[in-house]
Amino acid sequence: MTTAPALLAVGPGTRDASGTEAVRSFVGRLGDGGAGAPVAWALTGPGGPSPAEAVADLAGRGVRRLAVVPLTLDVDPGATGPGDAVARAVAAHPGLDAVCGRPLGAHPFVLDALERRVEEALGTTTRTPGDRADTTVLLVGRGTVEPEANAELHRAARLLWEGRGFAGVETAFVSVAAPDVTSGLERCRALGARRVVVLPYFLFPEDATDRAALQVEGWSAVYPETDVRLAGVLGAGASLSGLVWQRYREALACPGRAGAACCAHPRTGAPGGAPCGEPGADFGEGPARA
């Protein structure tokens, strides 16, 4: 029987085969966290194993405790988080206990990776600091009915802008929330932007990133005088793998995270708003902690 708590990494579903493969590949490179932890992955929608299938697999491997880490940057569990699906799956296996960690969020590792995606979109030719000063970034999130969740995209935009030399970092959403991508691009143009990098706030390709790309393409056809470049999604990286394990450890260590239903809090992931793992707490948000 396995005694180490397992890691269950849960992402949003997608009909994009490349997105499903990206999640599978990323989880395959996570290792065991240095503690022999079993690892499984699931998607809350189409494209991959369901939470019920992943939990059943872990239970069959002798797992008795698991930590769920959402593979998202969003903080709205109603849209993409594991929440009820994992709770139901765990309830089907008496004796199995689950705790739930936070989404990866605007961690410094994530912000650094976003910056690299902007650099890639700008190209590989030799540039000067002035090139950034002429570049406006449009950070694009999924969009949700939860105002607090949408506000987190604005928080990430502010953190990305601080000290990085961009002309500005504006925000837009693929659906539900305003402004949409085309309205966000229009705002950038109205502010005088001549070059805009549209930066998806997503870990992997999915249906929403495809819709964002179509909106960018349509707007660019109408305003060809504006240099618009679409950056890639974050994708996998060693630093983000470390961040997943950080979320795993903090979930297991926090006494307030009993049960999978703790995914219900839209920012902390802890029941009742307990500030487990918030910036400044014991688990910290700095690179030295991962």
Side-chain angles (χ1 to χ4, degrees), residues 46-282:
S50 68
E53 291 169 332
V55 169
D57 171 64
L58 289 172
R61 287 193 259 166
V63 169
R64 290 296 174 263
R65 191 172 191 226
L66 62 91
V68 183
V69 176
L71 288 183
T72 66
L73 303 173
D74 307 85
V75 293
D76 177 25
T80 59
D84 291 343
V86 173
R88 289 192 299 269
V90 170
H93 299 275
L96 182 62
D97 176 55
V99 293
C100 192
R102 292 182 293 149
L104 304 188
H107 188 281
F109 288 159
V110 170
L111 296 171
D112 289 346
L114 289 170
E115 183 179 12
R116 289 194 293 272
R117 292 297 173 263
V118 174
E119 285 293 311
E120 291 167 1
L122 289 175
T124 57
T125 57
T126 302
R127 296 193 304 276
T128 67
D131 293 326
R132 284 196 175 198
D134 292 333
T135 299
T136 298
V137 176
L138 182 63
L139 188 65
V140 176
R142 181 176 287 100
T144 133
V145 297
E146 295 289 341
E148 184 177 358
N150 294 331
E152 282 295 299
L153 184 71
H154 294 275
R155 175 176 177 268
R158 177 70 190 193
L159 292 171
L160 181 63
W161 178 77
E162 291 280 357
R164 287 180 168 83
F166 300 121
V169 180
E170 300 295 324
T171 56
F173 300 93
V174 176
S175 61
V176 181
D180 61 14
V181 176
T182 54
S183 297
L185 285 166
E186 188 60 38
R187 173 174 170 78
C188 292
R189 189 176 75 92
L191 291 173
R194 296 181 179 178
R195 180 169 58 221
V196 180
V197 173
V198 179
L199 180 60
Y201 194 58
F202 294 83
L203 282 172
F204 306 109
E206 56 178 89
D207 302 338
T209 58
D210 292 340
R211 293 198 300 273
L214 288 174
Q215 293 179 48
V216 171
E217 181 180 354
W219 190 90
S220 297
V222 177
Y223 298 101
E225 68 276 10
T226 304
D227 180 6
V228 179
R229 308 183 187 194
L230 180 61
V233 296
L234 285 181
S239 60
L240 295 183
S241 296
L243 179 54
V244 169
W245 286 112
Q246 178 177 321
R247 293 291 187 249
Y248 164 90
R249 292 191 299 270
E250 93 182 15
L252 291 171
C254 180
R257 292 182 184 237
C262 69
C263 291
H265 191 278
R267 176 163 180 185
T268 65
C276 300
E278 283 293 276
D282 289 344

